[in-house]
């Protein structure tokens, strides 16, 4: 059930690759290109409406027969050579690989549409071009990508029935549930994506307005923002994906700051065709980034096995393996499950008795960390965000703790908070954190999630159900679990009016609790 982890966890290199530009990426990729047997050529590819997309073709030198085709749209802000190392590995084993710089970024034409209809049409246009200009087999077509490329690949699979296999790494199934989960703007992630978009591309007027409304907390535009995100969510096109039945491989990190794991797991559960879900420690794109550097990487190894079976017909056994493949944040070992619903089937409950009233508008010190950095540190050196639970200011924080556990607890899946909140103002935000608390009171962050409400009646209690972000974390024997709530976190935009207070209570008729999923022994 468990196996040692072989993929290197070079999170610092991963984050560097994600945020660096063409020169740095080229410096890494060029030696591999020089030594590779497949041919490599750059190409101008006509996208939707004739917009020129800058791409490259990596293909076997022998053009006397047809090969399966893999199309790789680039990640947000990355150049078309992003996938060169992986493209060469694929081409060496008999694929035609076409990578292209996504619309609106760097040298490609057009404007940034954020996975809009033009991006979907671009993917089909690139397939058309590849079939006409490379030795690609029209009956064996796949798409793959990291982050933005993953989202575009899934969207395209819902529209183009020619796509038979997809590998979507660090992507999204539901864009709104990713960056607006709990009806709370993920401010740090949104600002970083927006800033990189302006730095390396040409955001469309529509995207600029959406970003302005999102970061400016324009509630009057909320319905418009949600509608915009729905158009760009693969989950919207599940009927098309399930009708086409491509083989879908989904990979992500437990701590993805842009696209948290819950929405991917939900999307995976609704897929009707061949499917596989893998979660590993890390943050956005860090679990697969070493593979972009040409280094050994478990995510990319499994991706190639997936494509080999569903595009080349290789009997490598991947079709017989358990469809859910998880790696623990604590020891890096792997666990396999028959479905996402089988993850964390056992549970333990932390009762949230009594009543605790907290003031708002102050950061207590309990935080989800820093986008890209904190979860990468957890991946590399097992150092998640920490806090001294006894020193948390109780005027601004609610704290509930379990007793010390006599044996190790293996937290797996989605913890669920059920509580009753009474606000003094109509609007408000709180963030719930689950900590692993050691004997000295130092809490290591296990998971968290934000929650925002609007237009509530002041003084009137209401029930809250909140799913924390899914995770895989082992709590040592002798440690406790603690639920902490406060109202300010740099990761999110909060909506607490000045002077607002929140009361968390546990009515006898509807007791409050935190349900924590555990791996069955």
């Amino acid at each position: 059930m468990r196996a040692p982890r072989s993929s290197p966890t070079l999170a610092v290199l991963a984050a560097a690759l994600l945020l660096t530009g063409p020169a740095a990426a080229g410096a890494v990729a060029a030696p591999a290109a020089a030594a590779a047997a497949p041919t490599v050529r750059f190409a101008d590819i006509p996208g939707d409406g004739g917009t020129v997309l800058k791409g490259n073709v990596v293909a076997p030198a022998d053009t006397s027969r047809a090969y399966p085709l893999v199309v790789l749209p680039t990640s947000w802000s990355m150049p078309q050579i992003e996938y060169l190392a992986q493209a060469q590995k694929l081409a060496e084993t008999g694929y035609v690989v076409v990578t292209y710089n996504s619309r609106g970024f760097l040298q490609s034409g057009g404007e940034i549409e954020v996975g809009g209809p033009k991006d979907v049409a671009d993917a089909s246009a690139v397939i058309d071009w590849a079939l006409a200009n490379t030795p690609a087999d029209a009956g064996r077509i796949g798409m793959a990508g990291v982050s933005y490329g993953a989202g575009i690949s899934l969207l395209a699979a819902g529209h183009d029935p020619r796509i038979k296999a997809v590998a979507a790494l660090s992507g999204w199934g539901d864009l709104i549930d990713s960056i607006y989960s709990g009806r709370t703007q993920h401010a740090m992630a949104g600002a970083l994506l927006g800033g990189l978009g302006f730095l390396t591309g040409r955001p469309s007027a529509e995207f600029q307005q959406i970003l302005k409304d999102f970061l400016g907390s324009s509630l009057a535009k909320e319905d418009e923002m949600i509608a915009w995100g729905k158009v760009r969510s693969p989950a919207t096109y599940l009927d098309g994906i399930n009708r086409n039945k491509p083989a879908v491989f989904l990979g992500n990190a437990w701590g993805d700051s842009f696209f948290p794991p819950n929405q991917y797991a939900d999307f995976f559960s609704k897929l009707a065709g061949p499917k596989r879900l893998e979660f590993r420690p890390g943050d956005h794109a860090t679990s697969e980034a070493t593979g972009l550097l040409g280094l050994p990487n478990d995510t990319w190894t499994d991706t190639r096995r997936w494509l080999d079976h569903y595009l080349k017909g290789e009997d490598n056994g991947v079709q017989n393996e358990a469809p859910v493949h998880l790696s623990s944040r604590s020891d890096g070992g792997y666990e396999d499950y028959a479905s996402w619903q089988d993850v964390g089937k056992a549970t333990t409950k932390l009762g949230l008795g009594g009543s605790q009233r907290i003031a708002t508008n102050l950061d207590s010190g309990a935080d989800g960390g820093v986008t890209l950095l904190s979860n990468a540190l957890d991946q590399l050196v097992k150092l998640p965000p920490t806090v001294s639970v006894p020193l948390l200011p109780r005027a601004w924080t609610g704290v509930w703790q379990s007793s010390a556990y006599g044996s190790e607890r293996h937290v797996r899946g989605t913890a669920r908070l059920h509580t009753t909140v009474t606000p003094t103002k109509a609007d408000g935000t709180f963030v719930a954190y689950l900590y692993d608390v050691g004997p000295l009171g130092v809490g290591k962050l296990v998971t968290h999630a934000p929650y925002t409400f609007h237009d509530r009646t002041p003084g009137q209690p209401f029930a809250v159900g909140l799913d924390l972000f899914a995770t895989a974390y082992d709590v040592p024997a002798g440690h406790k679990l603690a639920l902490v709530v406060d109202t300010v976190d740099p990761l999110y935009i909060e909506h607490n009016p000045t002077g607002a207070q929140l009361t968390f209570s546990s009515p006898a008729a509807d007791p409050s609790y935190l349900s924590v999923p555990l791996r069955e022994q």
Side-chain angles (χ1 to χ4, degrees):
M1 187 174 182
R2 298 171 67 83
R5 188 169 183 238
S6 61
S7 175
T9 55
L10 303 179
V12 174
L13 286 176
L17 179 63
L18 180 67
L19 296 175
T20 50
V28 172
T39 62
V40 180
R41 63 184 173 94
F42 290 91
D44 287 348
I45 304 173
D48 181 54
T51 298
V52 174
L53 306 174
K54 295 292 183 177
N56 53 271
V57 179
V58 186
D62 178 10
T63 61
S64 63
R65 62 186 181 90
Y67 300 92
L69 168 68
V70 177
V71 175
L72 297 160
T74 57
S75 305
W76 190 268
S77 295
M78 293 296 287
Q80 72 264 28
I81 59 172
E82 174 188 8
Y83 302 112
L84 190 54
Q86 289 301 321
Q88 289 173 327
K89 289 178 184 291
L90 287 167
E92 286 167 359
T93 59
Y95 290 91
V96 171
V97 184
V98 177
T99 76
Y100 68 94
N101 214 63
S102 300
R103 171 182 292 262
F105 284 104
L106 300 168
Q107 293 89 2
S108 281
E111 297 177 327
I112 300 172
E113 303 288 338
V114 198
K118 292 181 181 179
D119 291 305
V120 177
D122 282 345
S124 291
V126 171
I127 291 173
D128 293 340
W129 181 90
L131 294 176
N133 293 276
T134 74
D137 185 342
R140 296 183 292 168
I141 298 173
M143 287 194 67
V146 175
S147 184
Y148 194 44
I152 291 174
S153 295
L154 287 173
L155 288 163
H159 292 81
D160 194 328
R162 296 175 296 178
I163 299 170
K164 305 303 182 185
V166 174
L169 313 179
S170 291
W172 71 91
D174 187 321
L175 187 59
I176 294 300
D177 198 35
S178 294
I179 61 174
Y180 195 46
S181 66
R183 207 179 175 186
T184 308
Q185 295 98 325
H186 294 217
M188 198 177 294
L192 180 57
L193 288 172
L196 286 172
F198 278 99
L199 182 66
T200 61
R202 298 165 299 283
S204 67
E206 182 184 31
F207 174 43
Q208 292 184 50
Q209 186 61 52
I210 289 292
L211 185 64
K212 179 181 177 181
D213 293 338
F214 179 81
L215 296 177
S217 301
S218 177
L219 291 178
K221 297 292 187 69
E222 184 180 43
D223 289 345
E224 184 179 323
M225 288 188 288
I226 290 174
W228 178 88
K230 186 176 181 180
V231 170
R232 290 156 173 80
S233 295
T236 301
Y237 311 103
L238 262 169
D239 286 348
I241 295 173
N242 286 337
R243 183 171 56 251
N244 298 336
K245 285 187 169 57
V248 177
F249 177 100
L250 303 175
N252 205 358
W254 294 116
D256 195 312
S257 300
F258 298 110
F259 310 125
N262 299 37
Q263 51 86 32
Y264 235 22
D266 182 64
F267 179 75
F268 166 82
S269 297
K270 296 174 182 176
L271 290 170
K275 59 185 179 179
R276 185 172 177 86
L277 176 67
E278 299 190 352
F279 283 134
R280 293 180 171 85
D283 206 309
H284 183 67
T286 66
S287 62
E288 57 267 1
T290 53
L292 297 177
L293 297 171
L295 300 173
N297 181 277
D298 286 0
T299 302
W300 281 105
T301 296
D302 288 350
T303 294
R304 292 194 300 272
R305 292 179 64 233
W306 188 258
L307 297 175
D308 285 347
H309 178 73
Y310 287 102
L311 294 183
K312 295 172 68 178
E314 290 188 4
D315 187 13
N316 55 20
V318 71
Q319 75 279 13
N320 299 320
E321 295 172 2
V324 178
H325 189 58
L326 311 179
S327 179
S328 165
R329 289 168 49 201
S330 300
D331 66 8
Y334 282 113
E335 302 168 4
D336 294 317
Y337 299 87
S339 71
W340 177 250
Q341 287 70 32
D342 288 325
V343 177
K345 289 184 73 172
T347 59
T348 185
K349 277 192 176 181
L350 173 60
L352 310 178
S355 178
Q356 297 193 34
R357 173 174 253 191
I358 63 174
T360 63
N361 305 119
L362 179 74
D363 187 349
S364 70
D367 289 326
V370 178
T371 295
L372 291 179
L373 177 61
S374 297
N375 291 308
L377 287 174
D378 182 36
Q379 175 188 4
L380 183 63
V381 294
K382 303 295 186 289
L383 185 63
T386 60
V387 69
S388 174
V389 174
L391 296 181
L392 288 170
R394 294 310 198 260
W396 289 277
T397 6
V399 180
W400 298 263
Q401 295 190 73
S402 71
S403 57
Y405 295 112
S407 60
E408 190 175 39
R409 293 292 190 271
H410 305 281
V411 179
R412 298 291 185 272
T414 305
R416 294 179 171 89
L417 170 64
H418 176 76
T419 189
T420 295
V421 178
T422 305
T424 60
K425 304 288 185 180
D427 306 323
T429 297
F430 70 86
V431 185
Y433 308 90
L434 181 62
Y435 286 101
D436 160 25
V437 184
L440 299 180
V442 176
K444 294 183 177 181
L445 187 64
V446 177
T447 182
H448 78 286
Y451 183 88
T452 294
F453 59 88
H454 295 290
D455 301 324
R456 290 287 179 175
T457 302
Q460 182 68 40
F462 64 94
V464 170
L466 175 63
D467 285 355
L468 278 60
F469 300 141
T471 194
Y473 182 96
D474 299 332
V475 180
H479 286 214
K480 304 175 181 179
L481 283 174
L483 176 72
V484 174
V485 294
D486 74 358
T487 63
V488 176
D489 189 311
L491 290 174
Y492 308 108
I493 292 177
E494 53 91 7
H495 295 263
N496 296 297
T498 301
Q501 294 180 319
L502 301 176
T503 298
F504 296 85
S505 59
S506 183
D510 187 19
S512 296
Y513 61 86
L514 180 73
S515 176
V516 181
L518 302 177
R519 189 187 76 203
E520 290 185 319
Q521 300 301 316

